[in-house]
Amino acid sequence: MTTGIQVEGLVKRYGDHTAVDGVDLTVPAGTVLGLLGPNGAGKTTTVRMLATLVKPDAGRATVLGYDVVTQAQQVRQLIGLTGQFAAVDADLSGRDNLYLIGRLLDMPRRRARERVDRMLERFGLTDAATKLVRDYSGGMRRRLDLAACLLGSPRVIYLDEPTTGLDPHSRNGLWATVRELVADGSTVLLTTQYMEEAEALADSLVVMRNGGIIASGTVAELAGRVGGRTLLLTTASPDDAGELAAGLRAQLPGHQPDQDGDQVRLPLAHDEDLAAALQAVAAATVTVTAVDTRVPTLDEVFITLTGAATDAEPERSQA
Ligand SMILES: Nc1ncnc2c1ncn2[C@@H]1O[C@H](COP(=O)(O)OP(=O)(O)OP(=O)(O)O)[C@@H](O)[C@H]1O
Ligand SMILES: [Mg+2]
């Protein structure tokens, strides 16, 4: 396994507040790590240290083997960081800006033109390509920033809440571009508040809270920590559901079926419990009209692990 990003005991203090409190991360090259956590957890501060924008107070981090403190210059050449692209010229069109960046990155003219057109398309900027950037809307500027960041196919990419406020076309364009770059070996650190995005892109997840890591693993592993499958049984009426729940309670000691309208939910701690549960359902006097199972959603996992709803806090601190 080639290591993309390696972080050991990283700490950042602001006054007497510890924003990042001893974080360890390993992101294999060519994979996406999703960094989740409620507002103020320390995600952006972590990204900023890995981007050499903020100096750690303790610990060590390397990006493709380069130390973010002692080899900051090398690290900067490897990374694409969204939200930081100051080099966009407001008096040039979106296309000219991107083309200039491509040429600065030593792309041959033709390759630069092709790549620029592709990025414009991906981020819904084709129609606005010849418009001056100073006349772009806020959302268009953000999309141009993402296009500029990803144009040169950086080997390491930091995306800090990249799709917040993005329209669906641009969101899909970003996801497609990220998947392509990862398939080509790029390493991605993604922070997001959207569980759907984490599920769509991340190979593994780390959940932060109060500057520390409280959980990590794949989506399935985190879901497993919160609980196994739930068996969902639909009946013809709430009365039937009540009767079914009582029957199951009697037949399945140690299980806690729960009535919700005309449905009964039966959490199964182990997948092996499913067969016994279905036998009990078959033996019931009540007619069951539909049977379904579901695993916990990442949202439920997040809320259980952090004790916070993803949108519970109105305050936003953006990088
Ligand atoms: N420059 C700074 N000066 C002082 N405190 C800071 C600074 N930057 C961040 N903090 C504090 O560090 C903590 C972590 O902030 P950070 O921005 O890393 O959180 P986050 O996980 O990115 O949150 P969000 O989901 O809101 O983006 C917060 O308590 C924040 O107030
Ligand atoms: Mg943040």
Side-chain angles (χ1 to χ4, degrees), residues 219-249:
V219 172
E221 282 164 358
L222 291 185
R225 281 186 50 168
V226 168
R229 254 164 235 287
T230 299
L231 184 61
L232 289 180
L233 304 161
T234 308
T235 65
S237 70
D239 280 351
D240 277 6
E243 195 182 323
L244 180 63
L248 293 178
R249 222 167 272 131

Side-chain angles (χ1 to χ4, degrees), residues 43-44 160-161 317-319:
K43 305 180 297 292
T44 295
D160 193 1
E161 303 198 25
S317 67
Q318 271 290 336

Side-chain angles (χ1 to χ4, degrees), residues 12-15 17-20 35-48 54 160-161 191-193 208 210-211 310 313 315-319:
K12 181 66 200 175
R13 297 185 200 92
Y14 289 113
H17 177 72
T18 307
V20 173
L35 197 53
L36 308 174
N39 294 146
K43 305 180 297 292
T44 295
T45 307
T46 301
V47 171
R48 290 176 69 81
V54 167
D160 193 1
E161 303 198 25
T191 81
T192 183
Q193 301 285 347
M208 285 185 76
N210 295 330
T310 44
E313 293 171 58
E315 226 174 83
R316 310 278 311 138
S317 67
Q318 271 290 336

